[in-house]
Structures are given as C-alpha cells and as structure tokens.
Amino acid sequence: MKTMMTLAAALAASTATAQITSEDDATFGVDSITRDAGQQLDFLDLTLSTNRSFNDVSTQFGSGGEFEGWRHATMIEVGTLATNWGFSPAIPQVNAPMSFPGDPGTLDGLVALLGQTATGNNSSLQTYTASIGVTGTDQVGVLQLTVQLRDFDDPGVGDLVGVSNIPDAGRSPASGHYLVRAVPAPSSAVLLGVAGLAATRRRR
C-alpha cells in the first residue's frame, strides 16, 4: 500500500521527487526507509520510534543498540528533505519563529512515505495528516526541537512546516524521531555483479 501511494504521488509531483524513494531495510522491514538521494541520507519511518523520549532513543545508537548506526537528523536536514520533495521554501532556521506559513506547494505523499504520526485540524477546522518528529537540534536547555510536516486534506489550503519543542525526557504517541544514516555503500556482491555485467557487454 505504501509503495503504491509513493508511486502515485511521484507521478503527480514535480521531477524533484525522483530523488526521494522508499527502500527496504534488513532490520526494520519493507518500505521502512525514505531515501533522499540529494542529501545521500536514509530517513527511518517515524512510526518506528513514536512515544519515546529523546533521552531513550539517543542511547540506542551505539553497537548493539536498537538504532545502531543511526542518529537524530538536524532540523535543516528535515527541511531540506521537504524542499527536495518539491515543497519550497521549507528549510527552518534555529532562531526562526515556531512555525512557518503555508505554501502553495504540497507535502502530499511525503507524509505517507515518512509515516503518519498524527491527524488534526487548524483553527478553521481544516483537517491534516502529519509527520511529527524530534530532531537532534537543541533549542533551549533540555528542550528538543520537533518538526511537523502537515499535509492538509482540504483543496487549496497550503501545507505547513512547523517547529515546536519537547523536553528531553518527554514523549508523545503523536511524535516519532527523525533518524538518519548515510546511504549505505553497495555491497561487494552487488559491485561484482555490476562489474561482471559491464565485462559481458564489452565482450559483445
């Protein structure tokens, strides 16, 4: 289902989305990764880390940890992901206001790709689905920044990139964690296969 939604959204969106794909992971399963080729980063689905605190998740990055090899994304990396999807401008700054205005562009499909963590409505009762996640950028003391990507269901309503914060020990069932890793290098077996194919073509 997620893959079908990704394909449909990609066809309808700008060519910028071609660099953002859904990938499988040996540990977390099918379609658990959103790959941003522009940043050479893999984003783990937010739904795999909901209702957990920054203090909890950040202890799981080391050898043998649940999120070994991952780290918290920065707010800028999340904003750049949205920009690479075609939603522009969408790069929040640390000292900027807590939220950013709606944009004529769309986050349609990206929320489904990253994992929907919440639904809601604004003051005008316009409904949205959202991908909300903690980043690794401290705002003030023991407060961690969270970034919200809000995809409004109502036609003609600009989507929203919002920023809020949560205590290091705080957790919410409506918020996961933006976790990233560098895109893994191709395995030696894959490289050998490509080399063999190239050699076969040259002999022809």
Side-chain angles (χ1 to χ4, degrees):
M1 173 64 82
K2 182 179 174 184
T3 302
M4 291 179 62
M5 293 178 69
T6 302
L7 291 173
L11 289 171
S14 71
T15 54
T17 63
Q19 65 184 326
I20 298 177
T21 57
S22 182
E23 305 291 338
D24 301 340
D25 182 78
T27 300
F28 295 101
V30 176
D31 289 335
S32 57
I33 304 296
T34 298
R35 178 163 295 170
D36 183 354
Q39 297 188 84
Q40 283 295 290
L41 288 176
D42 283 346
F43 287 76
L44 186 63
D45 279 6
L46 290 163
T47 51
L48 296 170
S49 59
T50 55
N51 205 28
R52 298 180 66 165
S53 71
F54 177 86
N55 289 344
D56 171 20
V57 171
S58 61
T59 64
Q60 299 297 314
F61 297 147
S63 178
E66 185 177 351
F67 302 113
E68 180 179 353
W70 297 82
R71 63 170 173 83
H72 277 99
T74 67
M75 184 170 58
I76 301 303
E77 287 168 337
V78 178
T80 300
L81 171 69
T83 298
N84 289 345
W85 180 259
F87 186 95
S88 181
I91 301 183
Q93 302 295 324
V94 173
N95 295 320
M98 295 298 289
S99 62
F100 302 87
D103 185 274
T106 179
L107 294 171
D108 184 35
L110 184 57
V111 168
L113 202 60
L114 289 168
Q116 174 190 316
T117 62
T119 60
N121 55 71
N122 62 11
S123 57
S124 300
L125 299 182
Q126 295 159 329
T127 59
Y128 63 83
T129 55
S131 292
I132 305 173
V134 177
T135 68
T137 308
D138 272 315
Q139 185 185 28
V140 179
V142 295
L143 294 178
Q144 290 293 332
L145 285 168
T146 68
V147 175
Q148 302 183 25
L149 305 181
R150 297 187 189 181
D151 175 20
F152 281 90
D153 301 329
D154 304 70
V157 178
D159 291 345
L160 179 75
V161 176
V163 180
S164 58
N165 56 50
I166 191 171
D168 283 2
R171 62 183 187 176
S172 168
S175 176
H177 293 252
Y178 283 106
L179 303 183
V180 294
R181 69 181 179 194
V183 171
S187 68
S188 56
V190 171
L191 291 174
L192 286 172
V194 171
L197 180 60
T200 301
R201 288 179 174 173
R202 280 197 298 270
R203 284 197 293 270
R204 290 177 182 173

